[in-house]
Amino acid sequence: DTGVSQDPRHKITKRGQNVTFRCDPISEHNRLYWYRQTLGQGPEFLTYFQNEAQLEKSRLLSDRFSAERPKGSFSTLEIQRTEQGDSAMYLCASYGLADYTDTQYFGPGTRLTVL
Amino acid sequence: AQSVAQPEDQVNVAEGNPLTVKCTYSVSGNPYLFWYVQYPNRGLQFLLKYITGDNLVKGSYGFEAEFNKSQTSFHLKKPSALVSDSALYFCAVAYNQGGKLIFGQGTELSVKP
């Protein structure tokens, strides 16, 4: 499968715990994006990387959230001291500047439930 | 501020009838416009996009969309709906190449036999 993959698909955690999600983009896609989608809403942008550089962060991304893409390939999104309001679907997308499709391709998402 | 509006939370259509899912946007400059579809507990699947050129764009599964600059709209259409088209549809806009996507709130399409 050459699409975007995310792991885990589901995560249930207790309030106050830390969680980490992983995203593997389409091979050779140099841009990687994180979005968050709550029930009944459209996805909201969180942050994006070009290669290993984090180019933009949303104001939605509080200090408890951190994202990395250390080698310009996969990315991780960590949430520290989770709160119930963090319960959402976390979506990853990738985009290739050189593939001329001008399209972000999304992974299946990680659904987080904070109890 | 950049924004996308999908004025209908839900659209109900009989199978075989034409469907339209509406989208309007507020973006300065020349927008990049997209439609994505989401099935339950799944990620977003790309349907079609408008970057430049012909105002009528064709995409996957028989869907098409018409870009109207004067009305700042990008409505999704299909001549003959299928029950399998039932899903959540999102309109999105970016204001530069590879830029972040701004999504509408989504429209639930229900196609009945």
Side-chain angles (χ1 to χ4, degrees):
Chain A
D1 188 337
T2 57
V4 180
S5 61
Q6 293 187 245
D7 184 68
R9 295 290 305 276
H10 303 274
K11 179 71 177 179
I12 300 174
T13 191
K14 293 182 179 179
R15 187 164 49 100
Q17 298 294 304
N18 298 345
V19 294
T20 300
F21 310 140
R22 175 178 170 128
C23 171
D24 286 87
I26 293 170
S27 180
E28 298 181 357
H29 272 195
N30 45 7
R31 285 196 177 178
L32 185 151
Y33 309 75
W34 286 99
Y35 294 84
R36 179 172 66 188
Q37 183 181 20
T38 54
L39 203 60
Q41 300 296 317
E44 295 175 300
F45 169 78
L46 293 178
T47 188
Y48 88 94
F49 294 83
Q50 180 162 311
N51 302 316
E52 65 275 7
Q54 189 172 19
L55 295 189
E56 185 175 350
K57 292 195 293 186
S58 165
R59 288 171 295 175
L60 293 174
L61 211 63
S62 77
D63 292 344
R64 297 184 298 104
F65 287 70
S66 62
E68 295 182 340
R69 194 183 183 199
K71 296 182 181 178
S73 57
F74 72 91
S75 175
T76 58
L77 178 68
E78 181 183 17
I79 309 174
Q80 296 182 328
R81 305 181 302 281
T82 52
E83 302 173 356
Q84 288 184 326
D86 296 331
S87 294
M89 175 81 91
Y90 290 84
L91 295 165
C92 175
S94 75
Y95 173 98
L97 279 167
D99 73 2
Y100 305 109
T101 65
D102 277 318
T103 300
Q104 292 183 29
Y105 295 96
F106 283 79
T110 294
R111 181 167 295 283
L112 173 66
T113 302
V114 182
L115 302 176
Chain B
Q2 327 287 359
S3 65
V4 177
Q6 293 180 241
E8 301 154 319
D9 290 337
Q10 185 159 12
V11 169
N12 297 307
V13 177
E15 188 175 31
N17 283 2
L19 69 87
T20 299
V21 183
K22 295 179 180 178
C23 172
T24 59
Y25 64 91
S26 173
V27 171
S28 57
N30 297 315
Y32 294 66
L33 295 158
F34 301 84
W35 277 100
Y36 287 86
V37 60
Q38 187 175 37
Y39 296 97
N41 299 310
R42 302 287 295 276
L44 275 69
Q45 184 175 336
F46 169 74
L47 276 181
L48 51 76
K49 66 178 182 282
Y50 173 84
I51 306 297
T52 187
D54 193 351
N55 289 345
L56 184 66
V57 293
K58 296 186 183 296
S60 307
Y61 313 117
F63 284 93
E64 58 189 29
E66 186 167 12
F67 170 63
N68 187 318
K69 189 171 184 177
S70 62
Q71 296 186 1
T72 61
S73 67
F74 189 55
H75 301 329
L76 181 70
K77 301 180 180 183
K78 187 173 182 181
S80 178
L82 300 172
V83 172
S84 58
D85 293 329
S86 298
L88 190 55
Y89 289 80
F90 289 99
C91 181
V93 63
Y95 48 90
N96 53 33
Q97 183 185 23
K100 65 186 178 188
L101 292 173
I102 300 167
F103 285 87
Q105 72 272 29
T107 298
E108 182 88 40
L109 174 65
S110 178
V111 182
K112 301 293 187 189

